[in-house]
Amino acid sequence: MSSSQPFIQSSPLSVTARRRKSKFTFKHLVQLSNYSTTCALRVIAHVDLDAFYAQCEMVRLGVPEDQPLAVQQWQSLIAINYPARKFGLGRHITSMEAHKLCPELIMQHVATWREGDEKWAYHEDAFKHIATHKVSLDPYRMESRKIIATIKESLPAPPMQRVEKAGIDEVFLDLSAQVHSIMLGRYPELQEPPPYDDPTEYLPRPLTTVLDWNTDALVDLDASETEDDYLDWDDIAISIGSEIVRSVRARVREKLKYTCSGGVARNKMLAKLGSAHKKPNQQTVIRNRAVQHFLSGFKFTKIRNLGGKLGDDVVAMFNTDTVKDLLEQPLDQLKRMGDDTGSWLYWTIRGEDDSEVNPRTQIKSMLSAKSFRPAISTFEQGVRWIRIFVADIFSRCVEEGVLENKRRPKTINLHHRQGAQTRSKQSPIPQGKMFTEAILFDLAKNLLAQVVVDGRAWPCANLSLSVGGFEDGVANNMGIGGFLVRGEEAKALLASERHAFESHVEDKDSQPPEKRRKFDNGGIQKFFLPREISQEDSERDHTPFQRREDSDEPVNSEKDNDMSESSDPAPLSNISKPTICSDSPSTPKARHLDDDDIPPDIPPDIPPPSAQPLSPSHRISHFHQQSLNTYLCTRCSSNLPLAKKVEHEDWHFAKDLAKDLQAEEHGQTESARRTPVPQKSHSRGRGRLVGGGSSAVKGREKGQRRLAFGKG
Ligand code: DCP
Ligand code: MG
């Protein structure tokens, strides 16, 4: 108990004394300076852009502010500016309906990646091309980055700045330390040490009697409070917080032209409700004395974490969706939801939330996906989409600081959906060298190859690629220090890498005719060309790939191929060679394909080729019995519908690839690996795959010592 409390309570002067004292202590003040989440003076803000994507388009297109505009994605509207909302437009209506309601509406389609393109763009009539385009949110991410940078610029430097990105257009700010510093400057009495050096002593009451709330939407006080009551330090703190938010918003407006709304309160939950309370371009302040009044008007399903299933469960159990009704439920009743959930709910609807504003809240995974309407049905189509996914994900990884080795993902996943069946393939991303788009692409296309090997890959209704397991501090790992490329050096390498990558995959015009022919005849194999042995690459750039070209060190093939060991990442030799991938994240061993894998899509009445090879004469007569819509595979003598030809050949190709890798894993001799299996030369232009795949493991190259991760 505070030493001052007995005095206040027992002295005849106690009433007067109490009037002169704040209800907050010196300890609260200290807590304010160090962002304590339980501090009663805490000041948290939430800032959310108004009609964000719509504003991005308005700023980009230079549209007048009163012009109704909506952002369209295919036939739907995903963002509607405030002038358009006056016409009753919302996300629930289609572009056709919107046009009827508001004929002067500008509908701007989101940028898209066109199948096969290297970069997203704003395409004319993009909404008509759902089959061949994929939405890109990059323009909005770029604006989001600028906005967050501007917000940070308008705050003092860390540690007096705490900004958590909560979504593409929203941030939480913990303003506590900044508010503390301003309070001490404005109210010198707060700089005095506590009486008796006792931090539990109460602070003197502020002398201020009126606060200027400027243009803020001030939430009315609780019924038990009046505006005539004495102000206390929490009112002062919140009003300073509100000033800060006003200046932050003004800076964003002035520098980038965007309007945003803010909420200022004692915690994240209230601040977020506040920013949405009065939109657009306003800020709502919820003083501590107004919390109950503010919350009781809400449906609890609007509260953070109660918008989804949990909220639905609470509604179902208590037969109400309002905070007001739920406040009547005692704690033990709410605990019917479970002890922890019940307690959390009890305090949440009373406006308590001690979750922290975490500037380190970082992306854990990234996903790029596409649903195909109509479904896609060839490997080449799949790879073209994968290329887009990779470009999309890689640009986001760059934002996350992969080039500076701040963070990088550890795993890559491919999800494939056919009808109701979804399959996933996963592979580790080799650590220990620069993370590039080409590496990601090589890994991703090999995951797709694994799906093809498994069979029944086509038609495919949905593909999605994701990277996950982002890790910090690769830069701190002494063992791989030699391979790290940072900052400008990394960017320069990336540029040359990107150039080589584009040429490697697609830029046929830039290649000499004979090289181009190789690609042209190549079919899907071009997607498997290991980059490190590509002649074009080594002629063009000096990426880390080249360093490996000169190696003559032997390879520990067993170790090198165990790519699933994240604690002992694969050395450079594994990075861009085709990967044998595991099906499940928890499967530590690389997946091996059995030699007797059966090609997919062989009609059930035709025995698998290994079980029943056909004699040449049989083949001819058999062939003649087939309609023109069938084809005979020269490699396995299977008879298949013509429509399955491409898939079947892909299957052989992927199978060959897997065999190569298997052979390498088992440490076969150089000569054995180099001797082409006869049928491979008949396959769809194996091209450089055989030599390339092998060369990747034939010897350890320069700078390719086994990496002593974590050992310093
Ligand atoms: N968004 C989307 N689909 C949704 C919700 C949002 O594509 N169902 C996108 C478009 C929005 C952006 O995210 O512009 C930000 O979402 P908000 O919920 O913040 O909505 P707005 O910023 O558009 O409007 P508000 O002014 O209400 O914040
Ligand atoms: Mg918004």
Side-chain angles (χ1 to χ4, degrees):
M1 184 177 279
S2 151
S3 59
S4 64
Q5 277 177 321
F7 168 76
I8 290 170
Q9 284 162 3
S10 59
S11 161
L13 295 173
S14 63
V15 175
T16 329
R18 201 171 355 186
R19 274 210 196 113
R20 275 196 254 113
K21 292 280 177 185
S22 160
K23 62 177 176 286
F24 299 99
T25 65
F26 283 84
K27 188 175 167 194
H28 287 130
L29 204 57
V30 172
Q31 286 178 329
L32 185 67
S33 70
N34 61 25
Y35 297 106
S36 163
T37 58
T38 52
C39 174
L41 290 171
R42 222 177 160 212
V43 184
I44 306 295
H46 182 255
V47 175
D48 185 291
L49 274 289
D50 302 318
F52 181 48
Y53 293 3
Q55 275 204 86
C56 290
E57 296 302 343
M58 289 171 74
V59 169
R60 183 180 71 84
L61 299 167
V63 170
E65 293 201 347
D66 55 354
Q67 165 67 49
L69 180 145
V71 177
Q72 187 181 351
Q73 179 178 316
W74 315 130
Q75 303 303 331
S76 312
L77 301 186
I78 55 171
I80 296 114
N81 76 358
Y82 282 83
R85 290 189 200 188
K86 288 186 187 146
F87 291 82
L89 269 54
R91 285 201 189 105
H92 50 279
I93 60 171
T94 64
S95 51
M96 297 253 285
E97 289 162 346
H99 193 68
K100 275 187 213 147
L101 286 169
C102 179
E104 70 260 45
L105 180 71
I106 294 177
M107 277 187 280
Q108 173 60 49
H109 199 279
V110 294
T112 54
W113 300 83
R114 186 168 46 198
E115 190 185 5
D117 279 2
E118 280 147 24
K119 184 86 183 92
W120 54 262
Y122 282 93
H123 293 281
E124 188 100 344
D125 291 341
F127 69 94
K128 293 181 184 161
H129 303 298
I130 191 168
T132 51
H133 287 220
K134 172 178 158 37
V135 164
S136 170
L137 300 182
D138 269 9
Y140 311 132
R141 283 195 206 102
M142 275 156 40
E143 292 308 290
S144 172
R145 278 207 304 281
K146 282 194 223 162
I147 292 164
I148 290 173
T150 303
I151 290 173
K152 288 183 174 175
E153 266 165 40
S154 51
L155 295 168
M160 218 181 275
Q161 174 191 116
R162 224 174 236 202
V163 178
E164 174 183 325
K165 182 177 179 208
I168 193 163
D169 78 332
E170 53 178 312
V171 288
F172 284 106
L173 313 175
D174 191 333
L175 301 173
S176 301
Q178 189 182 353
V179 164
H180 173 265
S181 151
I182 294 172
M183 271 168 74
L184 259 54
R186 281 191 199 167
Y187 303 92
E189 65 266 35
L190 297 179
Q191 294 178 23
E192 299 293 321
Y196 322 110
D197 270 344
D198 180 357
T200 61
E201 280 286 342
Y202 288 89
L203 292 166
R205 185 185 284 287
L207 297 174
T208 310
T209 51
V210 181
L211 288 169
D212 177 10
W213 296 100
N214 206 308
T215 52
D216 298 352
L218 201 59
V219 171
D220 288 345
L221 294 171
D222 297 345
S224 58
E225 304 279 339
T226 76
E227 294 292 353
D228 298 331
D229 289 343
Y230 286 101
L231 294 178
D232 209 335
W233 293 113
D234 56 342
D235 297 307
I236 306 255
I238 293 258
S239 84
I240 294 173
S242 186
E243 278 173 37
I244 297 169
V245 172
R246 201 177 303 124
S247 71
V248 165
R249 290 175 45 237
R251 181 88 185 112
V252 172
R253 175 75 162 152
E254 178 190 281
K255 189 171 170 191
L256 303 170
K257 301 198 177 102
Y258 293 113
T259 67
C260 49
S261 299
V264 189
R266 68 176 178 224
N267 60 42
K268 287 170 86 172
M269 184 259 287
L270 292 167
K272 183 159 166 91
L273 286 174
S275 70
H277 190 56
K278 289 260 162 79
K279 272 192 160 252
N281 201 17
Q282 291 189 70
Q283 62 188 55
T284 298
V285 178
I286 305 126
R287 292 168 290 177
N288 289 346
R289 294 185 289 141
V291 169
Q292 278 314 314
H293 173 75
F294 180 64
L295 278 182
S296 57
F298 272 98
K299 291 186 172 182
F300 57 75
T301 45
K302 296 277 177 210
I303 295 178
R304 228 157 64 94
N305 301 324
L306 282 167
K309 172 147 183 1
L310 177 58
D312 293 346
D313 291 350
V314 179
V315 172
M317 186 166 286
F318 298 99
N319 205 23
T320 178
D321 62 358
T322 69
V323 171
K324 199 161 172 282
D325 290 348
L326 207 58
L327 280 169
E328 289 167 15
Q329 297 290 340
L331 179 61
D332 58 343
Q333 280 302 306
L334 295 180
K335 283 192 171 176
R336 284 162 57 207
M337 301 291 306
D339 272 9
D340 290 347
T341 307
S343 296
W344 175 82
L345 192 57
Y346 181 86
W347 290 112
T348 296
I349 59 175
R350 283 163 179 78
E352 300 302 331
D353 167 24
D354 61 4
S355 56
E356 68 167 350
V357 171
N358 184 358
R360 289 176 303 280
T361 297
Q362 285 173 321
I363 293 167
K364 293 189 178 69
S365 62
M366 291 171 186
L367 178 132
S368 189
K370 173 77 184 168
S371 291
F372 304 113
R373 283 162 280 182
I376 58 167
S377 51
T378 68
F379 186 83
E380 295 218 34
Q381 272 182 303
V383 170
R384 277 204 292 274
W385 283 108
I386 277 183
R387 188 156 178 252
I388 289 176
F389 298 160
V390 165
D392 182 19
I393 287 175
F394 187 74
S395 69
R396 286 148 68 189
C397 286
V398 169
E399 287 166 29
E400 277 296 290
V402 287
L403 297 185
E404 294 84 16
N405 285 303
K406 282 188 199 149
R407 302 189 79 214
R408 61 187 287 163
K410 274 178 68 182
T411 54
I412 178 167
N413 289 271
L414 182 78
H415 296 275
H416 170 283
R417 184 158 60 76
Q418 189 190 47
Q421 193 194 12
T422 305
R423 276 177 286 163
S424 313
K425 296 286 175 188
Q426 185 188 56
S427 164
I429 296 172
Q431 310 288 298
K433 72 164 285 189
M434 194 177 149
F435 178 70
T436 65
E437 191 169 344
I439 287 172
L440 207 57
F441 181 62
D442 283 344
L443 291 168
K445 73 195 173 195
N446 285 299
L447 295 181
L448 183 63
Q450 290 302 314
V451 175
V452 172
V453 168
D454 283 357
R456 301 203 191 356
W458 318 115
C460 166
N462 179 289
L463 270 182
S464 68
L465 188 71
S466 60
V467 293
F470 274 85
E471 279 201 342
D472 288 341
V474 179
N476 296 332
N477 191 322
M478 298 292 286
I480 59 166
F483 297 112
L484 296 180
V485 198
R486 294 191 184 86
E488 290 311 306
E489 192 191 351
K491 281 171 191 153
L493 282 172
L494 179 80
S496 60
E497 174 68 19
R498 169 88 219 191
H499 172 67
F501 171 58
E502 284 163 4
S503 310
H504 166 64
V505 178
E506 210 164 60
D507 186 7
K508 295 174 186 171
D509 293 341
S510 67
Q511 292 166 33
E514 54 288 10
K515 285 177 183 163
R516 202 182 311 163
R517 220 173 305 123
K518 258 193 225 167
F519 280 122
D520 290 343
N521 295 338
I524 65 166
Q525 90 288 351
K526 72 180 173 192
F527 300 110
F528 289 90
L529 295 175
R531 299 196 75 282
E532 67 275 33
I533 51 92
S534 152
Q535 188 62 24
E536 291 93 323
D537 286 348
S538 58
E539 281 165 6
R540 276 197 198 104
D541 61 23
H542 297 279
T543 69
F545 286 125
Q546 271 72 61
R547 274 187 267 141
R548 292 176 289 140
E549 294 296 295
D550 310 318
S551 172
D552 52 4
E553 283 184 72
V555 139
N556 176 348
S557 59
E558 220 175 66
K559 265 274 187 191
D560 290 351
N561 281 298
D562 190 358
M563 295 181 63
S564 56
E565 287 281 353
S566 59
S567 59
D568 184 12
L572 298 174
S573 64
N574 275 338
I575 282 176
S576 48
K577 77 179 183 183
T579 313
I580 293 185
C581 42
S582 65
D583 274 332
S584 125
S586 57
T587 309
K589 274 281 159 204
R591 181 177 175 275
H592 294 265
L593 291 154
D594 295 326
D595 280 341
D596 56 359
D597 275 357
I598 295 169
D601 296 318
I602 294 188
D605 55 332
I606 302 176
S610 55
Q612 194 186 35
L614 295 173
S615 70
S617 58
H618 261 102
R619 272 186 213 155
I620 293 162
S621 59
H622 193 70
F623 180 77
H624 285 296
Q625 283 163 20
Q626 304 302 310
S627 78
L628 285 174
N629 287 333
T630 65
Y631 109 104
L632 178 70
C633 172
T634 54
R635 296 196 49 196
C636 67
S637 308
S638 301
N639 240 311
L640 296 159
L642 199 54
K644 295 283 181 195
K645 183 174 179 215
V646 174
E647 181 177 359
H648 183 79
E649 288 180 349
D650 285 351
W651 183 88
H652 274 299
F653 178 73
K655 184 91 171 63
D656 291 343
L657 177 66
K659 268 189 193 152
D660 276 358
L661 291 167
Q662 218 171 343
E664 286 161 7
E665 280 190 352
H666 293 141
Q668 288 190 358
T669 61
E670 175 72 23
S671 60
R673 271 184 275 123
R674 283 195 157 179
T675 308
V677 181
Q679 67 225 32
K680 285 180 187 169
S681 61
H682 298 273
S683 70
R684 300 171 67 221
R686 299 265 302 150
R688 292 171 294 168
L689 173 69
V690 174
S694 302
S695 79
V697 289
K698 72 185 166 199
R700 192 170 297 168
E701 293 110 4
K702 268 187 191 162
Q704 208 183 316
R705 283 158 299 156
R706 175 149 298 284
L707 308 176
F709 269 66
K711 290 176 189 148

